Amino acid sequence: MRIVLFAFAMGICLPAPARADEFFRDQVAPILERRCLACHGAEEPKGGLSLADGRRALAGGDSGQVIAAGDAQGSLLLDYVSGDSPLMPKEGPPLDGRQVAAIREWIGQGAPWPADLKLVDKRFEGQSWWSLEPLKRPQTPVVAAPAGWPIRTPLDAFVLAELNRRRLAPSPQAGRRTIIRRLTYNLHGLPPTPQEIEAFESDRAPDAYERLVDRLLASPRYGERWARHWLDLVHFGETHGYDKDKTRENAWPYRDYVVQSLNEDKPYSLFVREQLAGDVLYPHDPDAVVATGLIAAGPWDFVGHVELREGTTDKDIARSNDRDDMLMTTVSTFLSVTAHCARCHDHKFDPILQADYYRLQAVFAGVDRADRPYHRDPELQRRRAALGSQRQLLAARQQALDEKLATFENSDLARLDAVLADLEARRAALPAGAAGDDSPTNGYHSAIMARPDEPKWVQVDLGEPKPIGEIHLVPARPTDFPDTPGFGFPVRFAIELSSDAEFSDPQILADHTGEDFANPGAESYVAPAGGAVARYVRIRATRLWPRTNDYVFALAELRVISAQDGDSQPNLALGAGVTALDSIEAGRWSTAHLVDGFDSRKRFERRAEDLAADGHREGVEARIEQVSRERQQRLMTLLDDATRSELDEVRHETAEVEDQLASLPPPDLVYAAASDFRPQSNFTPADGCRPIHLLQRGNVASRGDLMAPGALSCLPWLEHHFQLERPEDEASRRVALARWITDPANPLTRRSIVNRVWQYHFGRGLVDTPNDFGRMGSQPTHPALLDWLATEFLAGGESLKRLHRLILTSSVYRQSSAARADGQRIDAGNRYLWRMNRARLDAESVRDAALFVAGKLDQAMGGPSARQFVFKDDHSPVYDYERFDVEQPGSFRRGVYRFIVRSVPDPFMDCLDSADPSILTPQRNTTLTALQALAMLNNPFMLSQSRHFARRLEGVSADPAEQVRQGWLLALGRPPRSEESEALMAYAKRHGLANACRLIFNSNEFLFVD
């Protein structure tokens, strides 16, 4: 009435409701969707204000009501978006005059909001973003080369054109000693030998540099060096992490696979497909099985998977976290996209939907991380794969038979199945050794709703029509609401009977839908049935019970009392099959718990069989075995002779296949993605694909729609809904994702990898946020060059070595790293590459170079990792680096073969900024600290290598001058100047040659590459 009077007094003629709704849809809703919902959407809205639907919008937020319907001037919303310095929107330009006027007019109309209209965030609709645009090959710029700086590759033209635009000149080429040292560290992670330096400096052939590049790329040292970069990306480690950081004895084959693949120059798309689904696409290839170690590379919660029992919330959280890590590793590594940010809501900055995230989770719904068998011998692997395929076919035939058996309409089978389901639920709910009458369950709980008038129902199947005396509804009293008897009891409801599961013509036994029903508290509600005959009993709630700002329907137990005197089971519902419109299946809540013989606090009644077992786990296990035998016997009496014969044949063939598999030599093992493995306590295979629901706010207890496997919807020309012949087959899901990622039309894949290669050569990528090509990441400094590289990479067969050659043979790469005043003034960060970037050696290169220079580097490739610590496998394992003898042979292996521990990093390597294996590391930190200097001087490993270095020099010559000269050549690649030689000889004479070698190792020239 106030709004109407106000409108009349102001002389406003309110439009008809239909026209007002149309005005809102056409004029106002698009403004809210594009400019407001990013912050004020339905999920966790800023300031508590949601503009996603009319009810929430008119209710306001933390500051109270912001829309005063009919009073535009009195509405805070209009104050926020108008004026000279509007407070909203926080991002982007202010609303223009037309948009503000539309909001003002809408509020003046009474703020009509169609009841069926819910707004969605559309801020990205119609907007393009560079990384999500299709790849197109740019034209190479035509630019004049400056004197002494030839344009050797198209890369030079792109970089030079950008430098010209910024009035910058490139730097001259570095000297040959600098170039070979830069190249060798870049491709091998090791210094060149004095002989290699001398040979290159004296080689005046026009192709000397190109031949040097080819020689370094052809060396197996290349794969070892660049594998370390890849292992950083996928956070490879050889322990699980978390509080029980147990070792992974068989993780190392994946590391060897990466080294070998890079050395072989495997086409990048094949490299990707193998790591996601090699075991499916190429099952006869041992490497392809090992390659799926990528999926298992990250941390793994031993407690959550092995020690937590099934059916608990924490178990669901552990599994969700595990899939999140698999998804994040895959999408971040191959696509440079932060899809994992959409776990709890649509991505705040990029056009990635929460549905996209859970579609990707569904891809990994059937795999876990475990040791899986394979054979390094390809012939043995072929035989194992063939037998495995045969076993799968037999399993499919067995499943078909099971489905055939399921068609039998037999009440005894249905009854026995229900009893088994009840027993399995009770076993899952019991802790080890549990006994007694305390209830392990709460009962049935519907999905949580935002409004009370959402219809819900739950029903039981008695197996066949039976006469019913009474229906008892037992109110819930869950343990987490101890002072709330009658929890979830419906405010309005009806009890219906039927012999039709769809209740097409129900018999109404009790009807309380017309008015609110008083909550019975702790007392059961009893409805007389008078002997009515029915197979199904349904409780239909029409108004839900108010919880805390939401509404639910819950019952502790549904009892259906038989009308027949002397019935051996008076409660017909006990152990019966239960279905519901929806249900929370977690913790102490489940549809099965509605008929398990317990209310929320104690055993409601005992069956004769349970009295004998007295509720102990052993009794339940014995009862399951007894009922299973009874069911099998009953089943065999129903089968015809042909089906029995087929069953016998399948069992016989399966036994033969198992015998042949057992006769193979013991397999090798790799820690990788696995769907079939030996159970370990509560860690068991998925047996198919676990159902993946869209989780509201990422909460495993707030399950939304069931999600099918798919990919990102932000590349509209690629189908993101996977069309699978057998959606239940987990392997086909990974194959579909691998093909989607490697599709030639996927621009993210190629932009991502060429940017990474560029980064590892220049110290910074063309996009300096290599794992985030979204709006919160950086934009490319040379976008045309990035796309040219991506298209060239794709057209050239996706050869990484060809990409290396293209970059390394450019004039841009060969530039001097010397600083210049003009360059520093215009581009101090050298983003546009007017010079080469000087680089500090990473941790592995420091370690490997010290071994190499000292003559102690073990260059044997592959095999189990070197444990450079003392290990004790305890409740929480102990990793002690202090007591490790640095003179052991394992200390001399290359850094890439070092055993990587997550919880206790090697202090020496950690000090030098080695990667944290618990997180994806697309870029390492580079710090300069006093601790690094102290570690280089005093760490036992460096002391040991200084002694070995000194012995090597003593073996070369007894002349101190020659010793110093050779030390300088080995470590720094050049002879010392006279003053350097004299100073170091004097130091060696006073403190010993080993200490002089420590000084060489601690020089900036050893630790930095120009």
Side-chain angles (χ1 to χ4, degrees):
M1 179 63 71
R2 181 183 68 83
I3 295 172
V4 173
L5 291 175
F6 178 83
F8 180 80
M10 296 298 293
I12 296 174
C13 180
L14 292 177
R19 288 180 55 204
D21 283 359
E22 184 178 338
F23 179 82
F24 177 76
R25 289 180 189 272
D26 295 344
Q27 302 296 324
V28 179
I31 301 171
L32 301 181
E33 288 182 320
R34 288 183 171 85
R35 301 303 312 278
C36 303
L37 259 70
C39 295
H40 298 287
E43 295 294 331
E44 301 179 359
K46 295 287 181 67
L49 172 64
S50 173
L51 299 176
D53 60 62
R55 184 181 65 82
R56 289 187 176 94
L58 293 171
D62 297 344
S63 300
Q65 192 178 40
V66 299
I67 301 171
D71 182 5
Q73 294 305 116
S75 295
L76 285 174
L77 178 61
L78 204 62
D79 292 342
Y80 290 154
V81 301
S82 61
D84 294 335
S85 300
L87 297 174
M88 301 291 174
K90 289 286 190 185
E91 301 291 336
L95 301 187
D96 60 35
R98 181 191 60 80
Q99 293 171 322
V100 173
I103 294 174
R104 179 182 289 108
E105 182 174 347
W106 166 65
I107 297 175
Q109 291 171 359
W113 193 307
D116 64 336
L117 182 60
K118 291 188 176 181
L119 306 187
V120 295
D121 182 4
K122 294 182 179 178
R123 66 189 184 280
F124 303 123
E125 195 172 79
Q127 298 182 22
S128 62
W129 185 249
W130 68 267
S131 63
L132 305 178
E133 289 294 300
L135 273 176
K136 295 179 182 177
R137 188 178 181 88
Q139 290 292 322
T140 303
V142 177
V143 59
W149 205 90
I151 295 178
R152 294 183 167 101
T153 73
L155 280 63
D156 297 327
F158 281 103
V159 172
L160 189 57
E162 190 65 36
L163 290 175
N164 287 346
R165 277 193 290 273
R166 298 175 185 280
R167 300 182 182 278
L168 282 165
S171 294
Q173 180 169 309
R176 287 203 162 202
R177 186 195 73 86
T178 298
I179 284 290
I180 188 174
R181 192 166 186 266
R182 178 190 299 172
L183 263 177
T184 310
Y185 268 117
N186 202 185
L187 291 179
H188 288 183
L190 294 169
T193 66
Q195 295 77 18
E196 289 168 339
I197 296 172
E198 182 180 0
F200 178 60
E201 287 188 311
S202 61
D203 187 348
R204 294 300 165 180
D207 64 343
Y209 179 82
E210 287 72 14
R211 285 188 287 105
L212 171 62
V213 171
D214 287 341
R215 176 177 67 79
L216 293 173
L217 285 172
S219 167
R221 306 285 82 82
Y222 156 75
E224 293 173 327
R225 170 59 176 157
W226 281 73
R228 184 62 261 168
H229 295 320
W230 188 262
L231 298 175
D232 282 4
L233 287 179
V234 302
H235 62 348
F236 171 80
E238 295 177 83
T239 63
H240 291 325
Y242 291 90
D243 51 342
K244 290 193 177 180
D245 190 22
K246 295 185 177 296
T247 58
R248 295 176 179 175
E249 304 297 327
N250 302 299
W252 60 267
Y254 172 72
R255 175 252 291 147
D256 283 0
Y257 158 81
V258 176
V259 174
Q260 179 182 335
S261 297
L262 294 174
N263 277 330
E264 291 175 356
D265 198 20
K266 192 169 288 183
Y268 185 65
S269 281
L270 176 59
F271 187 52
V272 174
R273 288 194 297 268
E274 285 181 342
Q275 292 179 81
L276 290 175
D279 56 333
V280 188
L281 294 168
Y282 322 106
H284 297 168
D285 183 353
D287 287 346
V289 176
V290 173
T292 62
L294 168 123
I295 297 173
W300 185 74
D301 185 356
F302 178 90
V303 172
H305 287 86
V306 176
E307 297 184 356
L308 292 180
R309 62 180 174 83
E310 292 289 344
T312 62
T313 298
D314 286 345
K315 186 79 164 185
D316 291 341
I317 292 172
R319 285 203 175 118
S320 182
N321 288 341
D322 202 47
R323 289 190 297 271
D324 177 77
D325 181 82
M326 295 176 183
L327 178 162
M328 177 177 63
T329 301
T330 300
V331 178
S332 297
T333 298
F334 297 128
L335 303 176
S336 296
V337 170
T338 57
H340 51 285
C341 294
R343 183 176 183 177
C344 302
H345 44 66
D346 290 346
H347 202 293
K348 293 293 186 183
F349 306 103
D350 299 328
I352 299 172
L353 305 177
Q354 192 181 15
D356 293 345
Y357 172 86
Y358 285 100
R359 275 192 288 266
L360 286 165
Q361 264 221 15
V363 171
F364 301 102
V367 290
D368 289 284
R369 309 166 198 247
D371 287 330
R372 62 181 297 180
Y374 77 104
H375 289 282
R376 295 191 186 95
D377 182 334
E379 177 57 28
L380 287 176
Q381 178 61 23
R382 187 198 63 76
R383 288 175 58 192
R384 175 172 287 277
L387 289 169
S389 297
Q390 189 176 351
R391 182 168 59 178
Q392 287 183 338
L393 290 174
L394 289 169
R397 286 179 62 191
Q398 180 72 55
Q399 182 179 0
L401 287 171
D402 290 341
E403 291 172 355
K404 182 176 180 181
L405 305 181
T407 62
F408 282 107
E409 290 292 334
N410 181 273
S411 59
D412 284 351
L413 280 181
R415 177 182 61 81
L416 292 170
D417 283 341
V419 172
L420 276 174
D422 171 60
L423 289 167
E424 293 285 0
R426 291 179 55 208
R427 176 170 63 180
L430 284 171
D437 293 334
D438 289 342
S439 175
T441 67
N442 280 336
Y444 160 78
H445 192 307
S446 75
I448 299 169
M449 308 306 295
R451 297 183 299 184
D453 296 327
E454 298 279 356
K456 301 288 179 187
W457 59 263
V458 63
Q459 68 187 43
V460 296
D461 178 4
L462 306 180
E464 62 184 2
K466 295 181 179 179
I468 300 170
E470 293 177 337
I471 307 292
H472 295 191
L473 305 185
V474 182
R477 192 177 180 186
T479 55
D480 49 349
F481 284 80
D483 300 317
T484 311
F487 176 94
F489 199 93
V491 177
R492 297 189 183 189
F493 66 97
I495 302 176
E496 301 172 343
L497 308 178
S498 177
S499 289
D500 166 24
E502 301 301 322
F503 280 75
S504 55
D505 185 20
Q507 176 184 349
I508 308 299
L509 189 63
D511 187 353
H512 297 288
T513 60
E515 58 183 9
D516 291 357
F517 185 84
N519 191 294
E523 299 297 322
S524 296
Y525 168 85
V526 178
V533 176
R535 175 174 174 175
Y536 300 93
V537 179
R538 174 180 285 189
I539 314 303
R540 181 167 55 86
T542 60
R543 178 167 293 175
L544 308 181
W545 181 77
R547 199 178 65 148
T548 52
N549 300 320
D550 50 26
Y551 302 85
V552 300
F553 168 35
L555 289 172
E557 188 80 359
L558 172 61
R559 292 161 49 77
V560 180
I561 306 303
S562 174
Q564 294 180 335
D565 292 335
D567 196 320
S568 61
Q569 181 174 292
N571 179 10
L572 303 175
L574 194 62
V578 181
T579 54
L581 177 64
D582 52 38
S583 171
I584 289 180
E585 299 289 321
R588 293 167 60 92
W589 295 107
S590 170
T591 50
H593 300 341
L594 182 67
V595 292
D596 62 356
F598 292 86
D599 66 16
S600 300
R601 296 307 175 88
K602 64 183 189 310
R603 184 188 296 274
F604 203 90
E605 62 183 338
R606 297 190 182 204
R607 288 174 288 179
E609 297 90 342
D610 293 332
L611 284 170
D614 197 26
H616 285 276
R617 177 175 291 275
E618 292 80 2
V620 175
E621 298 280 2
R623 181 67 178 141
I624 288 174
E625 184 178 352
Q626 175 188 352
V627 175
S628 297
R629 283 199 306 270
E630 184 180 348
R631 185 188 186 282
Q632 183 66 20
Q633 291 167 359
R634 178 59 182 154
L635 184 60
M636 295 309 294
T637 65
L638 293 171
L639 296 179
D640 55 36
D641 290 340
T643 308
R644 290 183 188 178
S645 176
E646 189 174 0
L647 268 175
D648 290 341
E649 179 185 352
V650 169
R651 288 171 181 157
H652 178 70
E653 291 182 16
T654 300
E656 285 188 342
V657 168
E658 295 295 346
D659 287 344
Q660 291 180 57
L661 281 169
S663 70
L664 292 175
D668 303 300
L669 295 174
V670 59
Y671 191 79
S675 57
D676 182 14
F677 52 89
R678 182 176 297 174
Q680 182 182 2
S681 187
N682 291 314
F683 179 50
T684 58
D687 191 22
C689 292
R690 299 182 179 99
I692 302 299
H693 294 265
L694 190 149
L695 303 180
Q696 304 299 326
R697 301 188 181 184
N699 186 346
V700 296
S702 299
R703 298 180 181 179
D705 295 339
L706 188 67
M707 303 303 294
L712 302 178
S713 59
C714 55
L715 302 176
W717 57 90
L718 292 177
E719 178 55 60
H720 63 279
H721 293 289
F722 293 161
Q723 305 301 318
L724 306 176
E725 290 185 8
R726 295 186 61 201
E728 72 281 359
D729 176 23
E730 82 80 15
S732 67
R733 299 180 177 201
R734 289 188 285 122
V735 169
L737 179 61
R739 288 175 174 160
W740 185 88
I741 289 174
T742 56
D743 190 304
N746 192 325
L748 289 167
T749 308
R750 283 81 198 181
R751 285 183 177 126
S752 174
I753 186 60
V754 300
N755 185 65
R756 295 191 193 283
V757 173
W758 186 277
Q759 171 196 313
Y760 291 129
H761 283 309
F762 289 96
R764 176 192 283 126
L766 295 169
V767 183
D768 64 11
T769 51
N771 269 24
D772 187 359
F773 280 8
R775 285 175 168 82
M776 291 303 287
S778 298
Q779 297 202 38
T781 53
H782 302 73
L785 172 56
L786 180 64
D787 278 10
W788 188 91
L789 283 169
T791 54
E792 181 70 13
F793 179 66
L794 189 58
E798 297 184 292
S799 162
L800 287 170
K801 287 191 176 181
R802 183 175 181 271
L803 178 62
H804 287 304
R805 288 188 191 96
L806 184 62
I807 294 172
L808 296 173
T809 55
S810 68
S811 291
V812 178
Y813 181 82
R814 301 190 214 186
Q815 293 181 107
S816 165
S817 64
R820 302 196 320 262
D822 62 326
Q824 292 292 106
R825 184 177 64 255
I826 299 173
D827 179 22
N830 193 31
R831 290 170 55 81
Y832 299 100
L833 296 170
W834 51 270
R835 63 178 177 89
M836 188 57 178
N837 290 307
R838 194 177 193 224
R840 199 205 74 192
L841 297 183
D842 63 12
E844 286 81 2
S845 294
V846 170
R847 193 178 188 284
D848 293 351
L851 286 164
F852 186 79
V853 168
K856 298 299 293 183
L857 181 64
D858 178 359
Q859 299 200 37
M861 296 183 66
S865 298
R867 295 190 178 189
Q868 296 166 359
F869 49 79
V870 174
F871 173 67
K872 180 181 179 182
D873 190 4
D874 206 343
H875 179 77
S876 292
V878 174
Y879 301 96
D880 188 344
Y881 297 89
E882 292 298 321
R883 289 189 292 149
F884 176 72
D885 181 3
V886 294
E887 296 297 333
Q888 288 185 22
S891 186
F892 303 145
R893 296 208 67 189
R894 284 207 70 169
V896 71
Y897 300 120
R898 181 174 60 92
F899 194 98
I900 305 296
V901 178
R902 295 189 199 275
S903 63
V904 187
D906 183 328
F908 179 62
M909 302 295 281
D910 192 43
C911 179
L912 295 173
D913 304 318
S914 62
D916 181 347
S918 294
I919 60 174
L920 305 178
T921 309
Q923 291 171 300
R924 290 196 181 184
N925 293 326
T926 301
T927 63
L928 297 173
T929 69
L931 287 177
Q932 292 168 352
L934 291 171
M936 291 294 294
L937 277 171
N938 300 318
N939 184 271
F941 170 78
M942 292 306 300
L943 293 175
S944 169
Q945 297 316 307
S946 296
R947 291 192 294 269
H948 289 301
F949 190 11
R951 292 191 193 105
R952 181 180 187 183
L953 297 179
E954 288 167 347
V956 170
S957 173
D959 179 10
E962 183 60 19
Q963 290 173 348
V964 168
R965 180 178 176 278
Q966 287 296 325
W968 223 260
L969 286 170
L970 287 167
L972 308 182
R974 67 172 177 86
R977 292 184 288 273
S978 59
E979 64 272 18
E980 292 170 332
S981 179
E982 291 171 3
L984 197 61
M985 281 194 294
Y987 186 88
K989 183 176 181 180
R990 182 176 180 183
H991 299 288
L993 185 56
N995 282 327
C997 290
R998 289 171 72 192
L999 288 187
I1000 296 176
F1001 281 146
N1002 275 269
S1003 65
N1004 277 357
E1005 197 169 346
F1006 177 77
L1007 292 169
F1008 285 82
V1009 176
D1010 286 320

